[in-house]
Amino acid sequence: MILVPVKSLSAAKQRLATALDQPARTALAQAMLLDVLTTLHGCKHRPPVAIVSSDPYAAELASEYEFEIIPDQLNPGETGAIEMATQICVERGVESTLVIPADIPLMQAWELHEILKQSPTEGSVLVPAADGRGTNAAFRRPANLFPLRFGNDSFKPHHAAAQSTGRLCVVLKLPGIAVDVDSPADLQQLISLPGETHSQQLARQFACGGADASSAPAAKRR
């Protein structure tokens, strides 16, 4: 199962506060989630998708794409949400989990297929962020092979935990998945890279007209 954790979008992306006001940050977070779900929806021959969240926008979007919603009513943070959802997968007998963050707007379908293609019978696949510090995708088989602890500088701990299991750990560097948006520098990178995703269109509008989300067009859904 593919798990997409989504924290409260109304308070999203605090590290962008020097570049965007909160309404703009929320609009950008919504656009990035839309990009991620659009790619997953268009990806054939993938595992089922579940959105782990209590955010109303995320739930509505998941429903439109006919993805499962695993409620995150306790809102324990990204790590706690993933642990809760992983336990549900284990109880259901799900063999593997692939965690995809909601803020990687340039993910492409071929990258998802590459992760699944490289996934070992028992073991893991990790995709680092472009700076090598974060983890932007984590596949585990069995589903709870090792605990995930998302946050800054998560890649090295995840890699160490994966290796400690004694199972194969494949590290893939994928250009689209590697791009996440946490800082103003990330935002500038998103603007400058080729592409016309919902997030890029919105970020470019902010760059041209300021961080006023009220003038931003609503991201078009499928």
Side-chain angles (χ1 to χ4, degrees), residues 1-3 5 82 97-101 136-140 148 150:
M1 178 171 282
I2 296 174
L3 301 173
I82 287 301
T97 54
L98 170 59
V99 177
I100 297 289
N136 283 6
F139 174 93
R140 296 172 293 171
L148 296 176
F150 283 97

Side-chain angles (χ1 to χ4, degrees), residues 60-208:
E60 180 183 352
L61 198 55
S63 179
E64 289 185 20
Y65 280 91
E66 299 182 344
F67 292 154
E68 180 180 355
I69 302 166
I70 298 178
D72 177 24
Q73 296 174 339
L74 297 178
N75 197 21
E78 187 173 18
T79 295
I82 287 301
E83 287 300 297
M84 178 270 293
T86 298
Q87 182 58 36
I88 290 175
C89 290
V90 171
E91 292 170 358
R92 292 179 181 177
V94 173
E95 293 183 351
S96 66
T97 54
L98 170 59
V99 177
I100 297 289
D103 62 349
I104 49 172
L106 302 188
M107 179 178 68
Q108 299 181 50
W110 72 265
E111 295 178 311
L112 189 64
H113 285 303
E114 187 65 18
I115 293 172
L116 298 173
K117 178 182 175 182
Q118 298 285 342
S119 61
T121 303
E122 286 193 354
S124 57
V125 180
L126 298 176
V127 180
D131 62 6
R133 297 171 60 183
T135 309
N136 283 6
F139 174 93
R140 296 172 293 171
R141 184 158 44 209
N144 60 347
L145 179 60
F146 57 89
L148 296 176
R149 298 287 183 267
F150 283 97
N152 296 332
D153 301 315
S154 64
F155 181 74
K156 286 185 177 179
H158 282 158
H159 192 222
Q163 290 185 311
S164 71
T165 67
R167 273 71 174 260
L168 179 62
C169 175
V170 178
V171 176
L172 289 179
K173 294 184 178 180
L174 299 172
I177 293 180
V179 178
D180 52 16
V181 183
D182 289 320
S183 68
D186 296 335
L187 187 62
Q188 289 303 314
Q189 181 187 36
L190 177 68
I191 291 170
S192 64
L193 286 171
E196 292 291 337
T197 66
H198 301 98
S199 309
Q200 288 176 304
Q201 293 179 37
L202 188 60
R204 287 167 184 154
Q205 178 169 329
F206 289 154
C208 292

Side-chain angles (χ1 to χ4, degrees), residues 13 25 118 221:
K13 296 299 172 187
R25 298 198 298 273
Q118 298 285 342
R221 303 179 184 176

